[in-house]
Amino acid sequence: MENKKKGFLLGRRASEGYFLSTATRALIIGVAVIVVCIVCSLALYMSKQGKAAINTGTNQYNKMLEDYQDLNKAMYDGLEVSGSEVTTLISKLLTLKEYTSVRVKTKASDFVCYNYYYDELSNTISNADNKQFLTALEEAKGANNYINPQADFLGSVKKNANGIIICIDFVQQ
């Protein structure tokens, strides 16, 4: 009997173990709900932060990929190259029929377009029959648009609204 009294005073029944009052149970459930809400909100916050970081990384990757695709053309921007390099580029573009115009200005002539005609006003290129562009290099050394292999040319690139290089200019120095 003494054991039962002691157990009852400590809040314990001999057959059941510890029991909690209704108020204590409600308090524990309330704390558990708050903890779950905090954990869920942290998970959502971290998910949004991760998504933003992934989007930023993807955008940087796409920009880098776009720059890399035109790297063989973009390298001529502000670069001084020899006339032989210019003729090699023109021959390559003509052979591959790439969507790029090359304009060359020698000391004897104004700009001459190769592969496509470049229109400065609309910043577009065209290969229409009524446009003035050459599909072969001039090999006669006395011609105005002959490109001297030993001459130096300063390159610059023109991009369209989509950021695609559509024209490479070379001006003889």
Side-chain angles (χ1 to χ4, degrees):
M1 184 105 166
E2 193 67 37
N3 251 353
K4 279 187 179 181
K5 226 181 208 182
K6 255 188 185 175
F8 181 72
L9 291 174
L10 294 175
R12 179 179 151 173
R13 292 184 186 157
S15 62
E16 293 182 11
Y18 290 101
F19 68 94
L20 302 174
S21 67
T22 307
T24 309
R25 285 185 198 154
L27 185 63
I28 290 174
I29 290 172
V31 169
V33 167
I34 291 171
V35 168
V36 168
C37 288
I38 290 172
V39 169
C40 287
S41 65
L42 282 174
L44 286 173
Y45 174 76
M46 297 200 47
S47 158
K48 286 182 182 179
Q49 292 296 333
K51 186 177 180 181
I54 288 172
N55 287 341
T56 302
T58 302
N59 290 340
Q60 288 175 344
Y61 173 75
N62 289 338
K63 173 92 172 98
M64 184 182 67
L65 190 59
E66 176 185 309
D67 291 343
Y68 180 73
Q69 287 175 341
D70 285 338
L71 185 63
N72 61 341
K73 298 174 195 166
M75 71 180 201
Y76 292 108
D77 197 20
L79 185 67
E80 195 167 304
V81 296
S82 67
S84 64
E85 178 74 22
V86 173
T87 56
T88 302
L89 174 66
I90 292 170
S91 298
K92 178 181 162 191
L93 293 176
L94 289 170
T95 304
L96 297 175
K97 296 183 172 126
E98 285 197 37
Y99 185 72
T100 307
S101 174
V102 177
R103 293 191 325 162
V104 180
K105 181 178 181 182
T106 62
K107 291 189 176 181
S109 72
D110 201 13
F111 279 110
V112 176
C113 294
Y114 293 90
N115 198 33
Y116 282 86
Y117 175 77
Y118 175 70
D119 185 3
E120 276 188 275
L121 296 175
S122 64
N123 195 35
T124 59
I125 61 176
S126 172
N127 62 353
D129 290 337
N130 61 344
K131 302 293 182 181
Q132 298 272 336
F133 67 97
L134 301 175
T135 57
L137 288 165
E138 182 65 54
E139 297 196 20
K141 291 184 180 181
N144 286 343
N145 55 351
Y146 172 73
I147 300 171
N148 182 354
Q150 283 75 37
D152 290 328
F153 291 84
L154 181 62
S156 65
V157 298
K158 312 273 189 216
K159 295 182 178 184
N160 66 7
N162 289 333
I164 306 295
I165 296 175
I166 57 171
C167 182
I168 305 171
D169 283 349
F170 290 103
V171 179
Q172 187 174 359
Q173 301 298 300

